[in-house]
């Protein structure tokens, strides 16, 4: 049974160009040492069946594995359609890490033997994304927000994963929207919001993070401390770059 047939058997339909890219990728992996390999058709069918029984996984197709019970899955539908997430057997975090299969395939082509943590990821994104990517991320963010607002009775783990995804795709230009989740009642959501504010070096969050250090959940307190350290480090980097800028200009022979 082909890859396409396995997917169609489970009512999963991917674009033709994506399927073609996956098949080419599989051929290139044959006989090579890789850290992430595409699942065989049989493995794919079995994985789809067991994941479909778990609510948070129901829109995800596992495509790659490291052969240590970890997978890279593709969202087959919904606001996150065609983005990729990492399925860790120890801790569930289904937020997107790659915009599409082509992005991961390109990264694996350059770094076939690197561990997952060493690979360059698309999310959380920096300020260097294109206008089209920015528009797509904002649209996805708004759609996820609408789902969360529409269903106030969803299970806690489903809500948590949706918020993980929403926060992960939030572009730098809208990072202030993450402040809403710093005092969330779910300590995992609070933890993630703090960490992402630190990742983006969002200085206006400093006082709020200090309050979390004092009064937040156990997870939130630790994350807030780390976030404050990350923000201070980014501030220091900016000062150093600003201090060195005239010197660099002089060395380059540029008059200021």
């Amino acid at each position: 049974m082909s890859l396409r047939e396995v997917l169609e058997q489970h009512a999963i339909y991917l674009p033709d160009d994506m399927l073609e890219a996956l098949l080419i990728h599989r051929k290139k992996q044959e006989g090579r040492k890789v850290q992430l390999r595409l699942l065989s058709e049989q493995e794919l069918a079995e994985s789809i069946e067991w994941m479909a029984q778990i609510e948070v996984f129901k829109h995800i197709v596992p495509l790659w594995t490291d052969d240590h019970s970890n997978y890279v899955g593709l969202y087959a539908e919904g606001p996150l359609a065609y983005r990729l997430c990492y399925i860790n057997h120890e801790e569930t975090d289904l937020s997107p890490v790659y915009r599409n299969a082509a992005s991961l395939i390109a990264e694996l082509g350059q770094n076939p033997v690197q561990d997952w943590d060493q690979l360059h990821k698309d999310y959380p994104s920096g300020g260097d994304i294109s206008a089209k990517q920015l528009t797509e991320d904002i649209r996805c963010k708004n759609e996820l927000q609408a789902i969360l607002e529409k269903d106030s009775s969803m299970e806690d783990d489903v809500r948590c994963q949706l918020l993980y995804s929403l926060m992960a795709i939030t572009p730098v230009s809208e990072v202030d929207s993450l402040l809403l989740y710093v005092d969330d009642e779910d300590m995992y959501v609070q933890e993630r919001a703090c960490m992402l504010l630190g990742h983006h070096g969002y200085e206006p969050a400093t006082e709020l993070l200090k309050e979390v250090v004092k009064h937040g959940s156990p997870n939130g307190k630790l994350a807030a401390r780390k976030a404050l350290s990350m923000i201070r480090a980014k501030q220091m980097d900016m000062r150093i770059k600003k201090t060195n800028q005239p010197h660099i200009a002089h060395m380059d022979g540029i008059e200021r």
Side-chain angles (χ1 to χ4, degrees), residues 72-97:
V72 176
L74 178 143
Y75 279 92
E77 58 182 276
L80 295 165
Y82 307 143
R83 290 174 174 83
L84 306 184
C85 64
Y86 187 62
I87 305 169
N88 188 316
H89 73 279
E90 293 183 346
E91 182 177 356
T92 304
D93 175 5
L94 303 178
S95 59
V97 285

Side-chain angles (χ1 to χ4, degrees), residues 10-14 58-61 74-83 143-144 147:
H10 292 85
I12 297 168
Y13 303 93
L14 302 182
K58 68 179 184 180
H59 297 309
I60 299 173
V61 179
L74 178 143
Y75 279 92
E77 58 182 276
L80 295 165
Y82 307 143
R83 290 174 174 83
E143 289 183 12
L144 289 171
I147 292 172

Side-chain angles (χ1 to χ4, degrees), residues 34-36 107-108 111-120:
V34 296
Q35 286 291 343
L36 283 172
E107 180 67 12
L108 293 179
N111 304 289
V113 297
Q114 284 194 349
D115 291 333
W116 174 258
D117 292 339
Q118 297 174 307
L119 297 174
H120 174 75

Side-chain angles (χ1 to χ4, degrees), residues 181-236:
Y181 307 109
V182 170
D183 60 354
D184 195 89
E185 59 184 11
D186 187 320
M187 67 178 181
Y188 298 109
V189 172
Q190 182 183 70
E191 175 185 34
R192 183 59 55 86
C194 291
M195 291 303 296
L196 284 171
L197 288 166
H199 171 83
H200 290 297
Y202 190 60
E203 190 174 349
T206 298
E207 294 304 317
L208 185 55
L209 289 169
K210 288 179 179 178
E211 287 299 310
V212 177
V213 170
K214 294 178 182 178
H215 308 295
S217 66
N219 289 46
K221 289 180 179 180
L222 180 59
R225 289 192 186 96
K226 290 181 179 178
L228 287 168
S229 295
M230 294 167 75
I231 291 172
R232 285 193 294 269
K234 285 185 180 270
Q235 290 173 336
M236 183 62 69

